[in-house]
C-alpha cells in the first residue's frame, strides 16, 4: 500500500480499514463507535489519530482510545463513546495479516 492510501476490507463480518501512515500499516473498525460515522471519510491527524467527519471525535489508532470529545459535560449521553476497535497488522513474507482478537 502507498503512503496515505486506505483500503476497506471485511474479515469475519467486521468492516475494517487499513491505512498506510508514514510506512506503518494500521487497521481499525471502519465505523466510529460514537454514532457510526464512516471513518473512511475521516481525517488522519499526526501519525496515529483519526478524526470522525460526523461529530469530530478523535481516536488514537494505536490504542483505540478517544483522545478528543468535542462536547461539554452538559450533553449527557450524547457525549459518550466506546473505544475504537484496533487490530495489529503483521507483514508475513509480503502478505498483510490482520491479528483478530
Amino acid at each position: 500500500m502507498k503512503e496515505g492510501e486506505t483500503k476497506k476490507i471485511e474479515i469475519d463480518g467486521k468492516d475494517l480499514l487499513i491505512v498506510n501512515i508514514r510506512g506503518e500499516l494500521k487497521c481499525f473498525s471502519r465505523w466510529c463507535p460514537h454514532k457510526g460515522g464512516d471513518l473512511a471519510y475521516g481525517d488522519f491527524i499526526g501519525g496515529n489519530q483519526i478524526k470522525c467527519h460526523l461529530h469530530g471525535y478523535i481516536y488514537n489508532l494505536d490504542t483505540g482510545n478517544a483522545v478528543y470529545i468535542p462536547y461539554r459535560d452538559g450533553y449527557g449521553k450524547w457525549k459518550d463513546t466506546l473505544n475504537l476497535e484496533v487490530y495489529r497488522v503483521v507483514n508475513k513474507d509480503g502478505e498483510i495479516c490482520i491479528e483478530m482478537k
Side-chain angles (χ1 to χ4, degrees):
M1 291 180 65
K2 296 178 185 175
E3 173 76 26
E5 181 181 359
T6 60
K7 182 174 176 97
K8 300 173 192 176
I9 62 171
E10 182 184 326
I11 299 176
D12 293 335
K14 293 185 179 204
D15 291 324
L16 305 175
L17 289 176
I18 298 176
V19 63
N20 180 340
I21 300 176
R22 296 186 199 143
E24 185 177 355
L25 296 178
K26 308 264 185 190
C27 182
F28 51 95
S29 173
R30 181 175 165 187
W31 308 108
C32 178
H34 172 241
K35 295 288 181 186
D38 188 346
L39 294 175
Y41 299 104
D43 295 316
F44 295 102
I45 301 169
N48 70 339
Q49 297 177 349
I50 189 165
K51 180 178 180 180
C52 181
H53 74 288
L54 278 183
H55 301 114
Y57 282 68
I58 298 175
Y59 297 91
N60 180 302
L61 293 177
D62 294 324
T63 65
N65 294 337
V67 294
Y68 177 72
I69 296 173
Y71 297 98
R72 292 184 217 139
D73 289 333
Y75 279 91
K77 288 262 183 214
W78 175 256
K79 177 181 166 175
D80 292 348
T81 186
L82 298 173
N83 290 332
L84 180 66
E85 292 180 14
V86 295
Y87 302 91
R88 186 168 172 253
V89 181
V90 178
N91 189 333
K92 289 186 180 181
D93 300 322
E95 276 193 38
I96 298 171
C97 300
I98 310 300
E99 191 175 277
M100 302 301 288
K101 298 175 185 175

